[in-house]
Amino acid sequence: DTGVSQNPRHKITKRGQNVTFRCDPISEHNRLYWYRQTLGQGPEFLTYFQNEAQLEKSRLLSDRFSAERPKGSFSTLEIQRTEQGDSAMYLCASSSGTYYEQYFGPGTRLTVT
Amino acid sequence: GDSVTQMEGPVTLSEEAFLTINCTYTATGYPSLFWYVQYPGEGLQLLLKATKADDKGSNKGFEATYRKETTSFHLEKGSVQVSDSAVYFCALSDGQGGSEKLVFGKGTKLTVNP
């Protein structure tokens, strides 16, 4: 068990560019979550998958954001036409069932210049 | 909607001091309550949890009791160590409509000096 991994760890991009982040959950976990954390704030929920099905999306997830988990294993989060307000730490978590502990990855820090 | 309010930080204590970090919540249902900790340079880790009223979660000398009457889940430790320096987040999950999201407070940064 190597834990939840996220790549890249840091991403600097120019406004208007598209970026994609990857999350690899703990191998036996069927639930995967994305959160966003800005400086001085707690993580905010973005979206959640059970296996390959996206079951819940936050209002924070504008139409510029899309997430996939095509084979029920790793997940990608894409942000199109990035804005400076997208600068944040993007966290991924996984769990093995309802009300089970969510295990968090180290995050991808996005800076939009 | 659901929300979590934590005491503002930062909190600075001397080693062996008593720690309390206050957390209150607003939820429509009967949430599960959590404390997560983020050590410098590391990801969020679950510290303890409680799933129903009057439950006490405990781990690594930290404790928190689920108080439904005061909608609170205060974190306490009797004697802090330098290694407890971290950011602590209170969170809830109410499961309404099948939701599994965690709702977090803003976090409280704790620094323990030797």
Side-chain angles (χ1 to χ4, degrees), chain A residues 9 31 33 35 37 40-45 48 50 56 89 91 95 97-106, chain B residues 32 34 36 38 41-46 49 51 89 93-96 98-107:
Chain A
R9 294 291 305 276
R31 285 160 164 81
Y33 312 81
Y35 294 83
Q37 185 177 18
Q41 303 295 316
E44 296 175 294
F45 172 79
Y48 144 65
Q50 184 173 330
E56 188 176 358
M89 178 75 85
L91 300 172
S95 77
T98 306
Y99 304 124
Y100 283 60
E101 176 180 352
Q102 292 185 23
Y103 291 82
F104 282 80
Chain B
S32 294
F34 307 84
Y36 276 80
Q38 188 168 33
E42 299 185 16
L44 282 164
Q45 303 173 26
L46 180 66
K49 69 178 182 182
T51 58
F89 293 92
S93 177
D94 76 359
Q96 290 294 303
S99 175
E100 297 196 7
K101 69 181 181 185
L102 290 169
V103 176
F104 286 87
K106 292 185 177 182

Side-chain angles (χ1 to χ4, degrees), chain B residues 16-75:
Chain B
E16 299 184 1
F18 184 86
L19 170 70
T20 299
I21 301 178
N22 290 337
C23 171
T24 57
Y25 67 89
T26 302
T28 52
Y30 299 95
S32 294
L33 301 174
F34 307 84
W35 277 99
Y36 276 80
V37 59
Q38 188 168 33
Y39 297 104
E42 299 185 16
L44 282 164
Q45 303 173 26
L46 180 66
L47 180 59
L48 54 83
K49 69 178 182 182
T51 58
K52 62 182 187 297
D54 300 324
D55 270 1
K56 177 185 284 187
S58 61
N59 186 26
K60 300 182 180 179
F62 290 89
E63 292 183 340
T65 301
Y66 189 146
R67 301 289 188 199
K68 184 182 174 185
E69 63 275 14
T70 54
T71 62
S72 65
F73 192 55
H74 305 320
L75 182 68

